[in-house]
Amino acid sequence: MGLLSGLMGLTSDVDVNEVHAELAPIMIDGEEIVLAFAVVRDMLVFTDLRLIIVDKQGMTGRKRTIQSIPYRAITTFSIETAGTFDADSEMTIWVSGQPPFTRELSRRSNIAGIQKALAEGVLGRR
């Protein structure tokens, strides 16, 4: 967890090696996971090529929707932080040719790390 722990002094409970093992069947040869964040029950996985969103469903979380978004398709994104009386934050991503989609982020999510990873991916610094 060295890379995750070092990110602006914030930690995530996602081990990049475990995420790589879980997503290995859908990874392209040579694709590298750069960062991974736990978001409530779901995961945001930033590779050098794309953003992968793993949405765990059902009681056990065995049913999953895996969404792959190339950085070049992301036109805009926003992250709304939780206020004093808000329980959760929200992330909205606009993908070219599709309506925007929103994901709730828990108050404990690494909001700054997610924002930075999205900016680096969209602006082509990955």
Side-chain angles (χ1 to χ4, degrees):
M1 284 211 281
L3 178 62
L4 295 175
S5 298
L7 181 67
M8 299 187 294
L10 302 170
T11 60
S12 174
D13 58 355
V14 178
D15 182 355
V16 173
N17 293 325
E18 288 179 20
V19 173
H20 192 274
E22 182 179 337
L23 297 179
I26 67 164
M27 301 283 289
I28 299 169
D29 288 339
E31 184 176 16
E32 298 290 327
I33 294 176
V34 179
L35 295 170
F37 298 100
V39 179
V40 189
R41 289 179 53 189
D42 304 336
M43 283 189 304
L44 294 177
V45 180
F46 295 88
T47 76
D48 54 340
L49 303 174
R50 59 188 165 156
L51 168 62
I52 301 171
I53 300 172
V54 180
D55 181 9
K56 296 179 182 177
Q57 303 168 4
M59 294 285 285
T60 63
R62 293 185 71 179
K63 181 177 179 181
R64 298 169 185 210
T65 299
I66 299 174
Q67 188 172 17
S68 176
I69 305 169
Y71 293 123
R72 69 180 181 281
I74 298 173
T75 57
T76 307
F77 64 90
S78 70
I79 295 181
E80 177 185 300
T81 59
T84 304
F85 300 108
D86 295 331
D88 295 319
S89 300
E90 284 186 355
M91 172 185 70
T92 303
I93 296 178
W94 286 262
V95 177
S96 181
Q98 296 185 15
F101 66 91
T102 301
R103 292 284 190 270
E104 285 195 6
L105 306 174
S106 83
R107 183 179 287 275
R108 293 172 284 132
S109 295
N110 184 345
I111 303 296
I114 293 167
Q115 179 103 9
K116 183 177 179 180
L118 270 168
E120 287 179 348
V122 172
L123 297 175
R125 296 208 177 160
R126 290 237 147 97

